[in-house]
Amino acid sequence: VRPGSRGRRPQTVSMQRSMPAKPEVFPDLLNAFSRTQAAPFVGMEDPGSPSERIASSFTGSASKLTWKPCQVPRRSLRWQPSFLEQPFLEARGGENYSKHFTDQIEVDSPLDLELREAQVSQAQFYETLFRYGYYFDTIPNSYLAPFSDRWTLNIQYRTGGEEFPELMERMWEEVLHDYRQAIRKVIIEHVLKEEKAKKRTGIFFVPSPMPLWGTQAFLGIEGTAGGPPEGWESITSRRTQMANLLMPCSSASATLLDLWHQKYDTLLLVDLPSGDLMDLQAFCAAQEQKMKTVRRSLETWLGEVVEVLKPYSPNCWPVTLLCTQVRGVVDRSIAAFLQFFGPQQMDAFLRVGLQAQGSEIELTTSLEEIEVSLVQVFKDFVVSLSDLSFTVDSNTVTLWSVTLEEAYVQEAQASITKNILHNLERVEAALAPFDQFKYLLVEDVRIKKLSEDTLTQDCVMEELKTLRAVQQNIRSKCAEEISLHMVSIQCSHINETLRSKAEEAIHILLDSILRHLLLRNDHLCNSFEMVVNQVVKKPTSEMELVDLEMYIEEFRNTGLNELLREFDSIREWLSFLFTCENQLMLGLLKEKHFQAIYDSAHWVGSIQERVFHGTNLKREREALESKFKEQRNKFLEDLEGYNEQVDQLSECGNLRQVDEYLERIQVLKNNFTRAHVEAEKLNAKEKRFGWEVRSPFEQLKRGEHALEPHFALWTLAYNMEESMRSWMKGPMFHIDPTKVDFEVRFMRKEAVRLRDLFLAGGGVVYPAEHVKMDVLAMDLEEEKISAPAVVANQLNQQAEQMQETHLKLLYALCNQCLQGRHWDQISGTLGTPLEPDSSFTLAKAIEQDIGHFIEDLQEISDAASAEYQVELAADAMEDEWKTLSFTFESWKSTGASVFTEEKLHKICQLLDDQLQRTTELKGLMAAEPWEERLDDWEEWLQSMSEIFSIWGKLQQLWTSLEVLFSGRDIYKQLPADIQTFRKVDKYWRHLMSNLQSHPLARDVCKMPQLLENLSENQQQLQAIRDRLG
């Protein structure tokens, strides 16, 4: 560092106080305890800045320095430090430091004898020298006061060095080097006056120590013979004067030291227990109370400090001493807390219990809470003395407090946390024996679920033995208290809880079995009662009779034995439970259990008498069979009545009474449907009575079979009447002839089938012998055939007339292809106007005798259909072009596009096909109304065919010549052809680009002069091709 410039004071370096780092090979010699820097003492007449004073507060012990008579040791090594009880090299790692020195200690030399007398080995001696040299060289310049400006000015004034800058530069380096070396020696020797510093740094003695002040006579620069000059004050008086003037040793400091040692030197911020167990909350509360008490004591102390410092100037207040004393309280508390939670701490002081939490066993105070709370106590007392201050004559001083960020605090906290966690790990490990029993906490759930299943006696016995064995294991193996380092676990409550859970599981199991047995017994009694109630009922029907007989027989064979076995099983279970848990069962059994087993035993003794000897079913069977036969005969009479009504339908033949006949038929169908159900019931009763032969009820089958033709006949008559009314009186031009044709054909077929059926004797229940009549002779012998056959023949004739006459008229006039011109032709044929009108009916057409012109009308209708087909063909050809579009592909790398060969061929083929179809359509007679349209379409197709023919040739020429004219050599040979090709090429690219924007093929005809332009460009390229050969 260069000396400070004139008029400026060198800058000081601010430091923060911290404890030494954890032990290492070379721990720091100095730390941030110092609040001033080391510098030569210049006296109090002109003290200058605080950094120019010799500081005495590098370490915590500096506050305790006092002036005491001292003797100069004859030799620097004549002492035996207490910390040399074990070799220092073992603590530092065993490095051999003698290799760093060239000179070796000779045997029996004065130095060797002195080392042996001091009991210091050569290894320790070399290590001390090496460490002393290391710390001497590594004291930072920041701990040294800058070179004073006054000294700089004085040297410059005396040397006049401005004329020799290089010489002055070297001189300044020497001055600064000597100055720093001297200050470093003073610092290291001052620090090593404290035993703690020696232990921490591993320096056992100070080589070549500076003599203590006052131990040698002053000799002056050249030496003074005979002692100090006259007029000099004695050494004692100077020491007294310095004791009053020096900051660390002023009278105020001495007073404050005496005050502190008398009352406050033993203060601790923690109240550590000495044997009694307490809860975590009580421990934390005690520490908090202790911190408040100590803080109040220190506030009282600060009041006394104020009284001591009032006579002194603020510049002379020993603030560092006060801060050190307050910090010492924290330091001692930290040390006590470290020792209390150290590895040697064996006694427990925290009391925690165990509790059940769900399916787990947990501490009443969690390990995490213990750790956090104890560490928080440490943090709280470390900062509990923050912001201590005092005020003297409006001058307020805040003492320097300890913070959690300081290195030694953090190390202490880490050590405490480590020890706490280590002890808590033991706590957690101590809970392991309870893991084998914690399943008991939810054992009731398993037992309840187990009880829902069917249990065997072996299974129950195994469960009871297991639970009783677990209870015994808890009593014999689980301690009531587990005393560990730091924590005592109270286990009596959880042991009792586990035992009670096992007992509860036993109660649940036995209670569940008893409840199940009680239900079984109630079910057994109900079963006996149900049997008795069933057999005492008097059967009122054959079903009840048969069921009762079957029930009694089944009970005799199987039911009774099952109930008796169930009773024996219940008694066996009760006996088993008493064998397993006699005393417990006596407590669980109630009056209801004894009453239940008594009831079931009573039923067992009386059931056979009440069931097998108290009923007589033979008389009941005979009465029910007689009643059933009467019911069956009544049913047969009803069937005969239904059949007579069916035979009466053969006399019905009036078409005006269709609705009446259908209503009678529907009533008969409903009766037959109900008769089917009744017949099934009667057959079922016969089966239950055990009759081998069932009644066939042939009357029912014959009646239904005879009724079916009548239902079909009159349904056909009803439907034909409705349809004829719709066709004749409804809007004729809304009728679909095809649908009418289909319905009429079906009606004729059905009418003929029914006519033949009735002529063959159908439609009666019991047909008589007769000769089948000739259908052609029906008109002559109608009085000899049945009325239904006549009605069927009439329906056939109506349908035939509709099919043969009226249907042709519908086909002619109801053609959807008829246009206005056709209706004009029809009107001309009829001689009266006729148009499709919703008011015109088929009945009107018959009335006007339009059927007389049926052949002419049919010819006009057929022509209209043919013309419509031509129109559809023309529309189809046009529709093919609506969606037809070009497809393109890039031509090599020219950037131009061409038609794909496939699409171009498809378009040309389509044009050829449609030209051929158009020619064929024009040749038809039906095409006359569309002659003009077909001519225009043919002309358009021919034009498109010519365009695409030329277009294809142009594309072929362009693709073949483009390769030729893309080279540069051709420019000189064919300049005129080059110009022509460029013109055509430009047109081609423009044309294809437009087509890509409008790709529909039918849009081509909209391009102006397309055919002329294509033809012209094609001819130009063809000419070039011809010239090129």
Side-chain angles (χ1 to χ4, degrees):
V1 179
R2 292 289 303 274
S5 60
R6 184 176 302 175
R8 294 180 59 189
R9 186 176 300 276
Q11 299 296 319
T12 60
V13 179
S14 63
M15 299 292 292
Q16 293 183 351
R17 180 183 179 187
S18 64
M19 284 293 287
K22 58 185 178 180
E24 55 187 11
V25 177
F26 289 95
D28 293 336
L29 175 69
L30 302 179
N31 48 58
F33 272 41
S34 173
R35 303 188 70 181
T36 60
Q37 292 178 323
F41 180 71
V42 295
M44 292 302 296
E45 292 82 359
D46 183 16
S49 66
S51 63
E52 294 176 349
R53 305 174 186 174
I54 298 178
S56 62
S57 57
F58 277 107
T59 65
S61 61
S63 59
K64 301 180 183 179
L65 292 176
T66 57
W67 291 100
K68 297 180 181 179
C70 55
Q71 298 178 356
V72 180
R74 291 179 296 171
R75 293 180 181 176
S76 60
L77 294 180
R78 293 187 181 278
W79 42 264
Q80 175 59 45
S82 60
F83 60 87
L84 288 180
E85 294 176 359
Q86 58 179 349
F88 188 80
L89 289 178
E90 294 179 4
R92 298 292 176 172
E95 183 178 353
N96 182 14
Y97 290 94
S98 62
K99 63 182 179 180
H100 299 287
F101 299 90
T102 57
D103 296 333
Q104 300 297 321
I105 301 176
E106 296 180 358
V107 180
D108 296 331
S109 63
L111 180 57
D112 183 42
L113 296 175
E114 186 176 3
L115 290 176
R116 275 188 262 169
E117 181 181 0
Q119 298 183 7
V120 176
S121 66
Q122 293 188 12
Q124 293 173 335
F125 176 77
Y126 283 120
E127 182 181 8
T128 299
L129 293 181
F130 183 85
R131 289 182 174 278
Y132 184 91
Y134 170 82
Y135 287 120
F136 187 91
D137 295 334
T138 57
I139 294 177
N141 291 335
S142 59
Y143 284 85
L144 311 181
F147 201 84
S148 175
D149 287 350
R150 291 181 299 161
W151 301 341
T152 302
L153 295 174
N154 185 41
I155 292 173
Q156 289 178 345
Y157 176 78
R158 294 180 178 276
T159 58
E162 296 178 356
E163 299 178 359
F164 308 96
E166 295 180 359
L167 181 61
M168 290 301 298
E169 184 70 24
R170 290 195 300 272
M171 184 196 72
W172 283 124
E173 292 177 359
E174 294 176 359
V175 169
L176 289 176
H177 178 268
D178 293 340
Y179 171 79
R180 291 168 183 162
Q181 294 295 89
I183 297 300
R184 286 192 177 97
K185 186 171 180 61
V186 171
I187 290 174
I188 193 171
E189 291 190 14
H190 179 76
V191 170
L192 293 178
K193 289 179 181 179
E194 185 183 11
E195 292 295 325
K196 291 182 179 180
K198 290 181 179 180
K199 291 180 179 180
R200 182 165 53 85
T201 59
I203 300 176
F204 310 144
F205 59 89
V206 178
S208 302
M210 295 290 294
L212 296 178
W213 185 85
T215 58
Q216 294 183 0
F218 179 77
L219 300 178
I221 297 177
E222 291 86 13
T224 302
E230 293 181 1
W232 277 49
E233 297 178 359
S234 66
I235 298 300
T236 302
S237 61
R238 293 297 295 172
R239 291 178 60 182
T240 302
Q241 182 181 2
M242 290 181 64
N244 294 328
L245 295 178
L246 286 178
M247 182 70 64
C249 302
S250 64
S251 58
S253 299
T255 302
L256 293 176
L257 283 172
D258 291 340
L259 174 63
W260 181 263
H261 289 295
Q262 290 175 7
K263 298 181 179 181
Y264 307 103
D265 191 43
T266 59
L267 288 178
L268 288 178
L269 291 165
V270 289
D271 183 12
L272 302 176
S274 59
D276 296 335
L277 296 177
M278 61 176 60
D279 297 333
L280 178 65
Q281 292 77 9
F283 176 79
C284 295
Q287 309 315 309
E288 183 179 1
Q289 182 62 34
K290 181 66 174 180
M291 295 177 217
K292 293 179 180 178
T293 302
V294 172
R295 186 175 179 92
R296 287 196 296 267
S297 299
L298 291 179
E299 290 173 350
T300 302
W301 167 69
L302 287 176
E304 297 176 0
V305 168
V306 169
E307 297 300 324
V308 173
L309 297 181
K310 282 183 178 179
Y312 297 93
S313 170
N315 292 332
C316 298
W317 290 350
V319 177
T320 300
L321 175 62
L322 299 177
C323 294
T324 305
Q325 289 173 334
V326 172
R327 291 173 65 89
V329 176
V330 179
D331 293 345
R332 288 193 300 274
S333 301
I334 292 175
F337 214 67
L338 279 170
Q339 182 179 3
F340 184 75
F341 287 98
Q344 303 303 322
Q345 171 65 27
M346 300 298 291
D347 298 332
F349 69 93
L350 283 181
R351 178 177 57 244
V352 296
L354 292 176
Q355 62 182 1
Q357 190 68 27
S359 61
E360 298 294 332
I361 298 176
E362 298 180 353
L363 294 167
T364 54
T365 304
S366 66
L367 299 181
E368 181 180 2
E369 183 181 355
I370 294 174
E371 176 199 356
V372 172
S373 299
L374 294 180
V375 174
Q376 189 60 45
V377 167
F378 173 82
K379 294 180 180 179
D380 291 343
F381 80 71
V382 167
V383 300
S384 62
L385 301 183
S386 300
D387 302 328
L388 280 177
S389 61
F390 64 90
T391 303
V392 181
D393 298 333
S394 72
N395 293 318
T396 300
V397 176
T398 301
L399 298 183
W400 183 25
S401 60
V402 180
T403 64
L404 294 174
E405 289 76 19
E406 297 185 31
Y408 83 100
V409 175
Q410 293 181 355
E411 291 176 7
Q413 178 180 337
S415 178
I416 292 171
T417 303
K418 179 181 178 181
N419 292 333
I420 291 174
L421 290 176
H422 179 68
N423 291 330
L424 294 182
E425 287 176 0
R426 297 179 179 177
V427 174
E428 189 171 4
L431 301 180
F434 289 95
D435 291 343
Q436 60 179 319
F437 303 116
K438 65 181 182 181
Y439 74 92
L440 292 173
L441 300 176
V442 292
E443 184 68 0
D444 56 338
V445 177
R446 188 186 71 86
I447 293 296
K448 290 177 182 178
K449 187 174 181 181
L450 179 66
S451 302
E452 296 175 357
D453 301 330
T454 303
L455 296 175
T456 63
Q457 294 182 5
D458 292 339
C459 177
V460 173
M461 177 65 76
E462 183 66 25
E463 291 291 338
L464 293 175
K465 287 183 178 179
T466 301
L467 291 172
R468 289 304 183 192
V470 169
Q471 286 182 319
Q472 184 60 34
N473 286 339
I474 294 174
R475 291 189 183 93
S476 60
K477 295 183 180 180
C478 294
E480 298 297 316
E481 179 181 1
I482 301 175
S483 184
L484 304 171
H485 292 185
M486 190 176 77
V487 176
S488 175
I489 305 174
Q490 306 299 314
C491 307
S492 57
H493 175 71
I494 193 61
N495 291 343
E496 182 60 29
T497 300
L498 293 174
R499 290 194 296 268
S500 65
K501 284 292 183 179
E503 189 68 24
E504 180 184 356
I506 294 174
H507 275 261
I508 291 173
L509 180 60
L510 295 179
D511 186 66
S512 174
I513 296 174
L514 285 176
R515 187 167 57 252
H516 181 64
L517 292 177
L518 187 61
L519 291 176
R520 289 176 60 187
N521 194 82
D522 291 342
H523 179 71
L524 177 63
C525 294
N526 292 335
S527 299
F528 282 126
E529 184 176 1
M530 183 180 64
V531 171
V532 173
N533 292 336
Q534 187 72 20
V535 299
V536 298
K537 287 182 180 180
K538 184 177 181 180
T540 60
S541 65
E542 71 288 342
M543 181 180 296
E544 292 181 359
L545 174 66
V546 173
D547 290 344
L548 182 58
E549 291 176 342
M550 293 176 61
Y551 182 80
I552 293 176
E553 187 63 25
E554 182 180 0
F555 180 72
R556 184 193 307 274
N557 296 331
T558 59
L560 178 60
N561 293 331
E562 292 179 358
L563 294 179
L564 294 178
R565 284 196 296 270
E566 177 69 7
F567 177 73
D568 293 339
S569 176
I570 294 173
R571 290 201 309 172
E572 183 182 356
W573 266 102
L574 288 174
S575 176
F576 166 74
L577 293 179
F578 272 104
T579 303
C580 295
E581 295 285 341
N582 187 16
Q583 296 299 324
L584 184 57
M585 283 296 298
L586 290 176
L588 292 176
L589 287 175
K590 307 297 181 184
E591 181 180 356
K592 60 181 180 180
H593 299 103
F594 295 104
Q595 182 64 41
I597 196 66
Y598 171 79
D599 293 341
S600 59
H602 176 72
W603 276 111
V604 169
S606 63
I607 188 63
Q608 296 191 30
E609 179 66 24
R610 300 176 69 174
V611 173
F612 302 132
H613 303 291
T615 59
N616 189 359
L617 299 179
K618 183 177 181 180
R619 185 170 54 253
E620 301 294 339
R621 168 177 278 276
E622 292 175 352
L624 289 174
E625 287 181 350
S626 176
K627 182 179 179 180
F628 169 73
K629 291 177 182 178
E630 294 176 0
Q631 182 181 1
R632 185 180 61 177
N633 293 334
K634 175 65 171 59
F635 175 70
L636 292 174
E637 292 176 1
D638 293 339
L639 290 180
E640 290 296 335
Y642 299 154
N643 290 340
E644 289 178 1
Q645 296 179 32
V646 172
D647 288 340
Q648 293 173 3
L649 292 175
S650 299
E651 301 174 0
C652 300
N654 190 351
L655 287 173
R656 296 180 180 180
Q657 296 179 337
V658 173
D659 294 338
E660 179 186 346
Y661 298 154
L662 284 176
E663 184 177 355
R664 290 170 57 184
I665 292 171
Q666 188 61 45
V667 171
L668 286 172
K669 287 177 70 66
N670 294 338
N671 290 336
F672 282 129
T673 301
R674 288 193 294 270
H676 265 293
V677 176
E678 185 64 23
E680 292 177 357
K681 292 181 179 179
L682 294 174
N683 287 332
K685 290 182 179 181
E686 292 174 341
K687 181 179 180 181
R688 285 194 290 271
F689 277 126
W691 296 358
E692 296 180 359
V693 180
R694 311 287 192 273
S695 299
F697 301 116
E698 289 293 333
Q699 298 91 329
L700 176 60
K701 298 177 182 179
R702 286 179 174 274
E704 285 185 317
H705 181 72
L707 180 63
E708 187 60 30
H710 294 283
F711 177 73
L713 174 65
W714 295 110
T715 300
L716 176 63
Y718 178 82
N719 292 336
M720 182 176 290
E721 181 182 0
E722 293 295 324
S723 299
M724 294 297 290
R725 184 184 298 112
S726 174
W727 296 335
M728 300 300 290
K729 297 182 179 181
M732 187 182 74
F733 297 109
H734 294 173
I735 297 174
D736 183 359
T738 305
K739 184 176 180 182
V740 173
D741 190 4
F742 175 79
E743 293 181 4
V744 169
R745 290 178 184 276
F746 171 77
M747 291 176 181
R748 285 196 65 186
K749 183 178 179 180
E750 184 68 8
V752 171
R753 182 184 73 82
L754 293 173
R755 182 193 66 188
D756 295 343
L757 180 62
F758 284 114
L759 288 176
V764 294
V765 179
Y766 299 104
E769 294 292 334
H770 65 281
V771 179
K772 183 175 181 181
M773 299 189 65
D774 188 358
V775 177
L776 299 177
M778 287 184 61
D779 294 338
L780 300 177
E781 302 179 2
E782 285 188 356
E783 67 279 358
K784 297 182 180 180
I785 64 175
S786 63
V790 175
V791 171
N793 191 54
Q794 292 174 357
L795 295 177
N796 178 46
Q797 292 174 356
Q798 293 178 12
E800 182 181 8
Q801 183 183 11
M802 183 68 185
Q803 183 180 14
E804 297 298 334
T805 305
H806 305 328
L807 191 59
K808 293 181 180 180
L809 186 60
L810 289 176
Y811 269 117
L813 295 179
C814 296
N815 188 355
Q816 300 296 325
C817 299
L818 293 173
Q819 302 297 324
R821 61 181 181 274
H822 302 121
W823 288 108
D824 293 340
Q825 294 177 12
I826 292 172
S827 298
T829 301
L830 297 177
T832 180
L834 181 63
E835 294 181 354
D837 187 359
S838 59
S839 63
F840 192 77
T841 63
L842 179 59
K844 289 183 180 180
I846 296 172
E847 183 181 352
Q848 295 177 7
D849 197 20
I850 294 178
H852 180 70
F853 306 96
I854 189 60
E855 295 181 0
D856 297 334
L857 296 177
Q858 188 64 46
E859 183 179 354
I860 295 173
S861 179
D862 293 342
S865 298
E867 293 172 4
Y868 181 68
Q869 294 300 321
V870 174
E871 182 183 10
L872 289 179
D875 291 342
M877 287 190 292
E878 291 182 2
D879 290 342
E880 287 187 72
W881 288 91
K882 288 182 179 180
T883 57
L884 184 62
S885 60
F886 296 115
T887 55
F888 307 91
E889 61 182 358
S890 299
W891 177 248
K892 298 184 178 179
S893 59
T894 61
S897 299
V898 295
F899 293 121
T900 60
E901 292 293 337
E902 181 182 359
K903 180 60 71 172
L904 190 60
H905 176 72
K906 182 178 180 180
I907 293 174
C908 293
Q909 186 178 2
L910 178 63
L911 287 169
D912 294 341
D913 292 343
Q914 290 195 359
L915 279 170
Q916 183 179 354
R917 278 187 282 168
T918 303
T919 302
E920 293 174 353
L921 290 176
K922 288 175 66 178
L924 299 175
M925 292 182 61
E928 182 178 355
W930 313 109
E931 183 177 0
E932 183 179 355
R933 177 183 178 183
L934 292 175
D935 289 342
D936 294 341
W937 181 247
E938 184 177 32
E939 182 181 353
W940 185 83
L941 291 175
Q942 290 174 351
S943 175
M944 292 294 290
S945 179
E946 186 177 0
I947 287 173
F948 280 103
S949 176
I950 297 175
W951 208 327
K953 295 177 182 179
L954 177 60
Q955 176 171 307
Q956 186 176 7
L957 290 169
W958 181 84
T959 54
S960 62
L961 293 177
E962 192 278 333
V963 179
L964 178 64
F965 287 100
S966 61
R968 293 186 174 273
D969 297 339
I970 201 67
Y971 280 35
K972 298 178 181 180
Q973 301 175 12
L974 303 170
D977 292 339
I978 281 292
Q979 296 300 324
T980 302
F981 179 79
R982 286 182 175 178
K983 180 180 177 182
V984 176
D985 181 71
K986 181 178 181 181
Y987 171 76
W988 176 263
R989 293 175 183 270
H990 178 71
L991 175 63
M992 300 306 290
S993 177
N994 288 339
L995 282 180
Q996 287 180 328
S997 301
H998 304 82
L1000 290 177
R1002 67 178 182 178
D1003 293 340
V1004 170
C1005 61
K1006 299 178 182 179
M1007 295 184 178
Q1009 298 181 344
L1010 176 63
L1011 180 60
E1012 292 82 357
N1013 293 334
L1014 288 174
S1015 179
E1016 179 184 354
N1017 285 278
Q1018 186 265 340
Q1019 291 173 4
Q1020 290 177 358
L1021 292 185
Q1022 185 63 44
I1024 295 174
R1025 183 65 174 269
D1026 294 341
R1027 285 194 294 272
L1028 293 175

